[in-house]
């Protein structure tokens, strides 16, 4: 809402003054005076470049033209001035409820159509999909949703780690354990991991095993025996896709780290050589001097590549292919040096686009375990969340869940709990996972958001009222309705703030507040049993609230439920 007002005022002021650098519209916060029930927008003015008095006069004259604004006030606070624009209460309520009754439209952001590549999730084959990957998946999916909502052109990449010395252990482990093909297909992620752990453990006491694993990897590096590895990769991806589908995440493209290992790397190394960026260190590795004290290996002494080398090649490939405006790497904070190095190298290779690369880092989660023990596998973790929700639903006699349904609401609720527990955190902070907190229907949780959404859907379904074509604010005068309208109107702000900071917690907090306010309103303001005019207007109030909640929940990556 306020972005509409912002641009309206801005346009009108521009027309009258011709001043292009209007400094006033950075922050526009809505104030609700509870005693008078009046709304106003407050705008702190930074030292403006022209006469404030005349600006105020000017705005006053504009106000007559618009049905929404009623009065304007300018007060001085220390060095700042505060402009407050009083709104006509009824017009405001009408605008907010009508605007959100059909479809929630995104706020205008001037940089529409920007092309944004988002590299997220990106687990490693034959290593467990650990909590770092879970956070990357949840946060990356959120950032993708948000950018898509704000009309950016988003390309979602999953960069699968399928290369590295661990590979030799995996292949050897599969042979030593003689894992049959059908068992492998049943649960490839676990089976390949078991193979890895088995061989790795043996190698600790048996240098011969270590040697054999190395040999296998060296052969793979020469391109021998790749076919078998390919088949392991394919079945792992199938399994991963099932998990992504379960949590509602999709990708535009899957890329393989190994594809930057062979042919594509050569041009990159040649360019580094031409620019004289590479030198050989005492261990025979080819390195780039990152700083006076630090050399970063690019090619090992046996000629093989490193993680960073493959990322350099991948970034160059993506620059050509997508010509993006920004590329986000959603990866845990621990890899910050890696991404700094990556940007540093690309810069020195002369790629201006290196400025467009951003590491979207995040903190660690601790305490993530299942009743069966430490959660290594995401699937077990999600199963645990689902089972816990199912138990809660069984206890709660009021719920009408179909307990026989395999992928019923329990699974969606469990996933919502996990996702929101993550997205309500500040991204870069470490946090401790707690089942009690995550699953609490009364707390600030995904379960609470789902519960509220179900409640609103229930009102729409059972009220017997019909949605009116227009809002009549005169029938919506109870003070608590002002609170709810105020909460609805602040959705755009929360979205924009979250977009600017890449912090999902602003949107999560907003949705908790909206849920809290509407649940309070529902207790006081009933639809059923009221005269048809009043019932219709109240239905409109709840319908608009549900639309906003629904839009916000989908941005977080949740599947809003109508019944639980
Ligand atoms: N597979 C890597 C890991 O698990 C993350 C990859 C992130 N993306 C990238 N382009 N480096 O650590």
């Amino acid at each position: 809402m306020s972005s509409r007002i912002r641009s309206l005022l801005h346009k009108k002021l521009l027309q009258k003054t011709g001043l292009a650098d209007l400094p006033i519209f950075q922050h526009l916060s809505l104030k609700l005076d509870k005693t008078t029930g009046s709304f106003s927008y407050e705008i702190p003015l930074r030292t403006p470049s022209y006469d404030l008095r005349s600006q105020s006069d000017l705005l006053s004259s504009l106000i007559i033209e618009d049905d929404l604004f009623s009065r304007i006030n300018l007060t001085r606070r220390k060095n700042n001035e505060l402009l407050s624009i009083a709104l006509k209460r009824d017009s405001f309520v009408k605008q907010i409820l009508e605007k959100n009754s059909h479809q929630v439209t995104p706020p205008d952001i001037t940089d529409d159509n920007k092309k944004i590549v988002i590299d997220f999730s990106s687990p490693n084959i034959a290593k467990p999909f650990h909590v770092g990957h879970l956070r990357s998946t949840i946060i990356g999916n959120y950032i993708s949703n948000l950018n898509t909502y704000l009309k950016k052109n988003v390309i979602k990449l999953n960069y699968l780690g399928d290369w590295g010395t661990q590979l030799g252990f995996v292949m050897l482990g599969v042979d030593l354990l003689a894992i049959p093909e059908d068992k492998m297909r049943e649960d490839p992620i676990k089976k390949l991991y078991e193979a890895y752990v088995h061989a790795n453990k043996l190698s600790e006491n048996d240098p011969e095993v270590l040697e054999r694993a190395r040999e296998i990897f060296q052969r793979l590096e020469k391109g021998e025996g790749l076919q078998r590895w390919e088949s392991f990769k394919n079945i792992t991806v199938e399994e991963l896709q099932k998990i992504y589908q379960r949590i509602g995440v999709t990708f535009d493209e899957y890329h393989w780290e190994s594809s930057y290992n062979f042919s594509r790397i050569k041009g990159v190394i040649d360019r580094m050589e031409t620019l004289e960026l590479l030198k050989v260190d005492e261990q025979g590795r080819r390195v780039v001097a990152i700083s006076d004290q630090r050399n970063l290996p690019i090619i090992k002494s046996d000629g093989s590549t490193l993680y960073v080398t493959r990322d350099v090649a991948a970034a160059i490939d993506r620059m050509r292919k997508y010509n993006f405006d920004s590329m986000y790497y959603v990866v845990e904070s621990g890899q910050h040096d890696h991404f700094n190095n990556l940007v540093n190298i690309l810069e020195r290779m002369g790629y201006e686009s290196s400025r467009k690369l951003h590491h979207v880092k995040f903190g660690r989660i601790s305490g993530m375990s299942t009743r069966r023990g430490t959660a290594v596998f995401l699937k077990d973790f999600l199963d645990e969340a689902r089972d816990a929700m199912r138990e809660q639903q069984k206890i709660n006699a009021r719920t009408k869940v179909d307990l026989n349904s395999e992928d019923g609401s329990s699974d969606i609720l469990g996933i919502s709990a996990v996702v929101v527990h993550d997205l309500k955190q500040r991204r870069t902070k470490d946090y401790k996972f707690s089942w009690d907190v995550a699953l609490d229907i009364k707390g600030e949780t995904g379960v609470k958001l789902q519960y509220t959404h179900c409640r609103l859907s229930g009102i729409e379904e059972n009220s017997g009222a019909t949605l009116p074509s227009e809002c009549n604010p005169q029938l919506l005068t109870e003070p608590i309705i002002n609170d709810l309208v105020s909460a609805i109107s602040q959705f755009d702000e929360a979205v924009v703030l979250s977009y600017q900071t890449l912090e999902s917690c602003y949107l999560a907090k907003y949705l908790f507040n909206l849920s809290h306010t509407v649940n309070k309103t529902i207790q006081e303001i009933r639809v059923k049993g009221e005269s048809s005019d009043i019932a219709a207007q109240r239905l409109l109030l709840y319908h608009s609230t549900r639309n906003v909640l629904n839009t916000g929940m989908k941005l977080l990556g949740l599947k809003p439920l109508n019944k639980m």
Side-chain angles (χ1 to χ4, degrees):
M1 179 60 190
S2 60
S3 85
R4 195 196 72 86
I5 296 183
R6 195 189 343 249
S7 55
L8 190 80
L9 282 173
H10 202 268
K11 203 155 72 201
K12 287 189 175 183
L13 272 172
L14 265 177
Q15 276 168 6
K16 300 252 170 173
T17 64
L19 286 165
D21 59 339
L22 289 169
I24 62 172
F25 300 115
Q26 288 307 313
H27 300 284
L28 201 62
S29 58
L30 184 78
K31 286 268 156 355
L32 167 63
D33 184 332
K34 298 236 188 198
T35 44
T36 60
S38 53
F39 294 98
S40 59
Y41 273 114
E42 295 202 331
I43 308 169
L45 302 184
R46 287 194 260 126
T47 318
S49 50
Y50 58 101
D51 183 16
L52 271 180
R53 271 314 126 191
S54 59
Q55 181 177 297
S56 161
D57 290 344
L58 187 71
L59 282 168
S60 303
S61 73
L62 295 175
I63 275 167
I64 305 159
E65 293 172 28
D66 198 285
D67 190 33
L68 190 61
F69 313 121
S70 76
R71 205 167 11 85
I72 199 147
N73 239 330
L74 199 62
T75 44
R76 187 171 278 276
R77 274 190 202 158
K78 288 189 188 152
N79 294 330
N80 274 327
E81 307 233 349
L82 190 76
L83 191 69
S84 87
I85 304 169
L87 304 173
K88 289 181 188 155
R89 189 260 171 199
D90 284 359
S91 309
F92 183 66
V93 170
K94 187 172 159 68
Q95 267 203 27
I96 294 291
L97 295 187
E98 286 181 358
K99 171 179 179 267
N100 291 299
S101 72
H102 301 293
Q103 209 192 354
V104 180
T105 45
D108 288 332
I109 299 259
T110 42
D111 53 4
D112 269 6
N113 273 326
K114 262 186 156 186
K115 199 179 231 186
I116 300 178
V117 173
I118 307 183
D119 172 326
F120 70 106
S121 195
S122 306
N124 301 317
I125 302 284
K127 280 197 192 165
F129 190 113
H130 62 67
V131 289
H133 299 124
L134 176 62
R135 281 209 87 182
S136 172
T137 310
I138 292 173
I139 297 170
N141 186 48
Y142 169 66
I143 294 176
S144 306
N145 292 343
L146 187 63
N147 277 283
T148 307
Y149 178 66
L150 293 172
K151 305 202 188 92
K152 312 286 168 262
N153 181 354
V154 173
I155 297 156
K156 300 185 275 182
L157 295 187
N158 195 342
Y159 180 69
L160 294 164
D162 63 331
W163 206 245
T165 31
Q166 89 272 13
L167 228 133
F169 287 112
V170 180
M171 302 289 266
L172 182 61
V174 171
D175 289 341
L176 292 175
L177 290 173
I179 303 173
E181 170 96 22
D182 55 332
K183 283 273 170 302
M184 180 72 88
R185 277 191 183 280
E186 251 167 49
D187 204 347
I189 295 182
K190 256 185 208 168
K191 287 284 170 271
L192 288 177
Y193 181 60
E194 277 166 21
Y196 168 75
V197 171
H198 181 73
N200 200 33
K201 243 207 170 102
L202 284 182
S203 76
E204 280 166 17
N205 302 318
D206 188 346
E208 211 175 292
V209 172
L210 185 67
E211 203 37 53
R212 276 174 72 191
R214 276 210 190 116
E215 267 169 31
I216 296 175
F217 184 57
Q218 270 164 15
R219 256 183 275 132
L220 285 168
E221 286 221 290
K222 286 192 209 121
E224 294 164 25
L226 280 176
Q227 224 167 352
R228 186 150 174 247
W229 181 231
E230 285 295 323
S231 78
F232 289 165
K233 276 166 33 177
N234 291 340
I235 50 176
T236 307
V237 171
E238 278 170 30
E239 176 78 10
L240 279 173
Q241 277 173 327
K242 278 188 216 150
I243 298 182
Y244 290 132
Q245 197 181 15
R246 183 169 171 192
I247 56 179
V249 173
T250 57
F251 293 93
D252 297 307
E253 285 178 40
Y254 283 82
H255 289 182
W256 298 103
E257 204 179 313
S258 66
S259 66
Y260 297 99
N261 194 53
F262 301 106
S263 54
R264 281 192 235 186
I265 213 88
K266 185 161 179 327
V268 175
I269 302 300
D270 287 350
R271 183 162 177 149
M272 287 182 176
E273 297 280 18
T274 317
L275 293 166
E276 293 179 5
L277 291 177
L278 291 176
K279 46 184 193 179
V280 179
D281 74 356
E282 59 278 8
Q283 291 164 54
R285 302 176 300 188
R286 279 189 278 174
V287 299
V288 170
I290 285 291
S291 67
D292 292 346
Q293 298 93 355
R294 235 166 62 77
N295 286 332
L296 185 78
I298 297 291
I299 300 286
K300 288 194 228 164
S301 53
D302 63 5
S304 57
T305 61
L306 287 111
Y307 180 46
V308 71
T309 324
R310 299 189 284 273
D311 250 335
V312 171
I316 294 170
D317 194 42
R318 294 174 192 179
M319 288 172 189
R320 285 205 195 105
K321 204 159 158 190
Y322 305 117
N323 190 22
F324 50 78
D325 295 292
S326 301
M327 174 152 67
Y328 296 142
Y329 293 94
V330 187
V331 185
E332 60 188 0
S333 303
Q335 293 197 21
H336 198 55
D337 284 349
H338 167 77
F339 288 104
N340 275 343
N341 294 339
L342 174 64
V343 170
N344 182 322
I345 293 171
L346 288 167
E347 219 166 52
R348 289 165 60 189
M349 289 176 78
Y351 290 101
E352 282 203 7
S353 295
S354 63
R355 280 182 286 114
K356 300 175 182 170
L357 272 49
H358 307 281
H359 177 202
V360 180
K361 50 185 186 224
F362 54 82
R364 290 173 184 278
I365 328 178
S366 57
M368 236 173 174
S369 56
T370 65
R371 278 174 272 188
R372 284 177 281 270
T374 311
V376 185
F377 300 100
L378 181 61
K379 186 172 169 295
D380 295 339
F381 191 72
L382 297 177
D383 287 351
E384 174 109 357
R386 179 201 57 209
D387 295 346
M389 281 318 304
R390 195 169 282 201
E391 264 163 47
Q392 223 178 70
Q393 288 178 310
K394 267 194 222 163
I395 294 165
N396 188 346
R398 283 174 304 153
T399 59
K400 296 182 211 113
V401 67
D402 174 8
L403 289 172
N404 296 320
S405 80
E406 265 302 297
D407 47 13
S409 59
S410 333
D411 199 36
I412 295 177
L413 283 170
I415 290 164
S416 305
V418 173
V419 167
V420 173
H421 193 23
D422 197 279
L423 291 179
K424 74 176 189 181
Q425 315 288 337
R426 265 194 184 274
R427 187 163 39 81
T428 49
K429 270 178 84 176
D430 297 344
Y431 77 92
K432 198 167 165 12
F433 185 86
S434 150
W435 283 113
D436 289 342
V437 175
L439 299 170
D440 185 4
I441 193 164
K442 295 203 185 82
E444 298 196 323
T445 60
V447 187
K448 169 72 168 279
L449 298 182
Q450 290 286 12
Y451 164 77
T452 309
H453 192 268
C454 290
R455 229 178 151 187
L456 290 167
S457 304
I459 292 176
E460 295 205 32
E461 211 171 286
N462 307 320
S463 69
T466 0
L467 267 182
S469 55
E470 260 185 57
C471 170
N472 178 356
Q474 281 302 308
L475 297 180
L476 295 168
T477 51
E478 288 81 356
I480 197 162
I481 293 180
N482 288 339
D483 288 326
L484 185 54
V485 171
S486 163
I488 297 175
S489 78
Q490 286 167 55
F491 181 56
D492 283 358
E493 253 82 16
V495 166
V496 171
L497 188 60
S498 182
Y499 169 73
Q500 286 165 343
T501 55
L502 292 181
E503 287 284 0
S504 54
C505 62
Y506 293 118
L507 183 64
K509 288 256 176 301
Y510 167 82
L511 294 174
F512 298 143
N513 177 51
L514 182 69
S515 295
H516 177 73
T517 313
V518 76
N519 280 309
K520 241 170 69 186
T521 312
I522 291 171
Q523 277 169 9
E524 224 179 277
I525 308 289
R526 309 207 163 265
V527 182
K528 226 175 174 168
E530 297 293 331
S531 73
S532 67
D533 278 359
I534 292 183
Q537 292 300 320
R538 290 181 174 184
L539 184 65
L540 173 67
L541 176 72
Y542 292 130
H543 178 71
S544 296
T545 312
R546 186 176 80 119
N547 278 349
V548 172
L549 180 63
N550 184 290
T551 307
M553 285 169 75
K554 282 185 187 151
L555 285 177
L556 295 183
L558 312 185
K559 227 184 260 171
L561 288 168
N562 294 323
K563 246 190 210 134
M564 62 189 267

